Amino acid sequence: MPLCNQYLDTNRDSCPTSWLCYSFQTWNNSSLCAPQVLCSTLEPCINDKKCQVSSSVCVVNSCCSTPVCMPLALSNLCTVTANIAVGRICSSATWQQNSTTYFQDVWHNYLHSHDFFLDSDNNIIMSEYCDNRIVKYSGKNNTIATLLANGNSTYYMEAMFVHPSGIIYTVESRYNYSSYERLYRFQRYTNVDGLAGTTLFGDTSCGTAANQICGCKSLFVDTQGGIYCSDSQNHRIVKIIPYTSTIIIIAGATNGSMGYGTNELYYPSSIFVDQSGNLIVLDSGNSRLLKFSPGNRNGTILFSPYSYSWGSYMYVDAFGIVYYTSYSGIYRWVPGATYPTMIIGGSSFSTLRFDVYGNLYTIDNSKNTIE
């Protein structure tokens, strides 16, 4: 059941509109702006007024069956995202071409980090592939390491998504030497789950059945807790149904075959789901960006820059402006434009993130750093 408010229409006016934020009543009769999320992702209040951690506030007038603890990070997100949408990152913004190293040695100790997120304090939340753990790096020069998740050592981190609520979702894999196949699982890590996390889906072997995937090139969790996976090897995007080990194909093939039509995909990579439920897919094999409306398996081509460099990592902001990396640099596409434009030159960029001030962060594989 989603967290909602019995005065949604009237109370939206008092909250930022860049996210679907609403005003909720707390246990001490103050108000708190927050987006809708699934009740199952929130902890219940203690005695209907207290929360286990000081970073959450008890909300009493939601649609959940009992009062729930709303992370302040979600409330901050409403304010932060509104500030950015007001104009801090406009469609014609420019960035300095000379970067500053923010984190050294992302492949340190052979941990092979493939992804990172930034929290509201610009701390780095990093997935470490070989040790199958997630670490927050903070303090001066990001030298203070805090363990957030420590999964089974037989697994490897394939993909990670940090929800605005602070919940961490991962796709992990291991090799089964008995059956000679790779197995996959989806994990959730919260304060309640502990460092070992909770398995939402899997183990499952590679395949095209309703309970199988063949890895996850990109993972995305929407504001209501919907879990989406870019099942690139099967040329499709799927939605995971937690605890049931079943999936729903949202876009792409039903039989694992690649294709070139607007109802087909060819090694899709990064994905994004907007507030209206529209799915944005970086269809890397077809060198194009597709948009799928809810329930529609036939996509719309937003742009297809065959003469432009193409990549596998994408970021979409609150305005629907798309940023992506390629072998020649970082590009930006503004809705309505025919072609993207290069904003930063370079040859080895991967993951893209922005902080609340509009500064851009990326892994520079040539330097082995976050710039």
Side-chain angles (χ1 to χ4, degrees):
M1 179 182 293
L3 176 71
C4 63
N5 186 287
Q6 54 188 321
Y7 310 109
L8 290 182
D9 294 334
T10 57
N11 283 11
R12 278 204 64 185
D13 295 337
S14 62
C15 293
T17 58
S18 56
W19 276 62
L20 293 178
C21 295
Y22 305 100
S23 179
F24 294 92
Q25 179 185 351
T26 65
W27 71 275
N28 60 355
N29 293 320
S30 61
S31 61
L32 180 75
C33 288
Q36 293 190 65
V37 293
L38 291 178
C39 296
S40 59
T41 65
L42 302 175
E43 300 177 24
C45 298
I46 302 173
N47 297 325
D48 293 344
K49 65 179 182 179
K50 293 183 179 180
C51 293
Q52 194 172 15
V53 294
S54 59
S55 57
S56 295
V57 173
C58 183
V59 170
V60 297
N61 70 328
S62 71
C63 292
C64 302
S65 58
T66 60
V68 291
C69 289
M70 174 66 68
L72 292 175
L74 273 177
S75 179
N76 293 338
L77 178 71
C78 289
T79 303
V80 167
T81 310
N83 288 339
I84 292 176
V86 165
R88 286 192 179 179
I89 305 180
C90 62
S91 61
S92 60
T94 59
W95 283 262
Q96 294 178 358
Q97 298 299 299
N98 296 322
S99 64
T100 300
T101 298
Y102 193 65
F103 187 87
Q104 295 279 359
D105 196 11
V106 294
W107 284 50
H108 62 96
N109 297 325
Y110 303 101
L111 295 178
H112 296 18
S113 175
H114 294 297
D115 203 359
F116 73 95
F117 280 73
L118 297 172
D119 66 14
S120 58
D121 296 319
N122 268 20
N123 299 315
I124 297 172
I125 300 175
M126 185 177 295
S127 65
E128 298 185 338
Y129 177 80
C130 289
D131 271 5
N132 195 46
R133 67 180 189 176
I134 298 171
V135 179
K136 180 175 76 173
Y137 291 95
S138 59
K140 186 177 181 180
N141 299 321
N142 298 302
T143 55
I144 301 174
T146 304
L147 188 63
L148 301 181
N150 192 17
N152 190 308
S153 60
T154 62
Y155 287 86
Y156 296 92
M157 290 280 179
E158 299 282 347
M160 175 182 72
F161 186 88
V162 181
H163 193 269
S165 64
I167 299 173
I168 299 173
Y169 298 84
T170 63
V171 178
E172 304 167 11
S173 70
R174 67 181 178 91
Y175 190 76
N176 187 331
Y177 290 94
S178 299
S179 58
Y180 303 103
E181 60 183 349
R182 185 160 293 279
L183 302 177
Y184 302 90
R185 71 175 185 178
F186 287 74
Q187 290 286 109
R188 182 191 66 196
Y189 297 93
T190 67
N191 292 334
V192 176
D193 296 325
L195 294 178
T198 296
T199 300
L200 302 178
F201 179 95
D203 286 347
T204 181
S205 58
C206 177
T208 60
N211 63 344
Q212 292 179 304
I213 62 168
C214 290
C216 195
K217 184 71 174 180
S218 177
L219 181 64
F220 191 90
V221 182
D222 65 22
T223 56
Q224 296 190 25
I227 304 171
Y228 300 81
C229 165
S230 178
D231 187 6
S232 186
Q233 296 298 316
N234 282 327
H235 310 287
R236 64 186 187 180
I237 309 301
V238 299
K239 185 175 183 180
I240 304 302
I241 309 301
Y243 308 114
T244 65
S245 289
T246 57
I247 61 173
I248 299 173
I249 300 176
I250 304 298
T254 58
N255 59 0
S257 62
M258 66 184 72
Y260 312 101
T262 54
N263 63 338
E264 299 171 303
L265 299 170
Y266 183 16
Y267 290 115
S269 51
S270 289
I271 55 176
F272 176 84
V273 180
D274 66 18
Q275 293 295 319
S276 299
N278 297 305
L279 170 68
I280 311 296
V281 181
L282 195 62
D283 190 13
S284 295
N286 283 320
S287 300
R288 63 187 182 182
L289 190 75
L290 288 172
K291 178 180 180 180
F292 296 87
S293 59
N296 191 347
R297 294 279 297 278
N298 194 45
T300 300
I301 299 176
L302 298 181
F303 69 93
S304 184
Y306 291 106
S307 60
Y308 286 75
S309 300
W310 201 246
S312 299
Y313 298 90
M314 174 182 68
Y315 177 91
V316 184
D317 72 7
F319 278 147
I321 298 175
V322 177
Y323 302 83
Y324 69 91
T325 60
S326 76
Y327 68 83
S328 63
I330 299 174
Y331 286 78
R332 171 182 59 202
W333 176 78
V334 179
T338 304
Y339 300 110
T341 57
M342 180 188 288
I343 58 173
I344 296 176
S347 60
S348 303
F349 300 135
S350 57
T351 303
L352 279 176
R353 304 292 175 210
F354 288 86
D355 65 18
V356 297
Y357 304 106
N359 299 311
L360 186 153
Y361 297 73
T362 184
I363 292 179
D364 188 332
N365 295 303
S366 66
K367 297 180 180 179
N368 191 29
T369 60
I370 294 177
E371 297 292 306

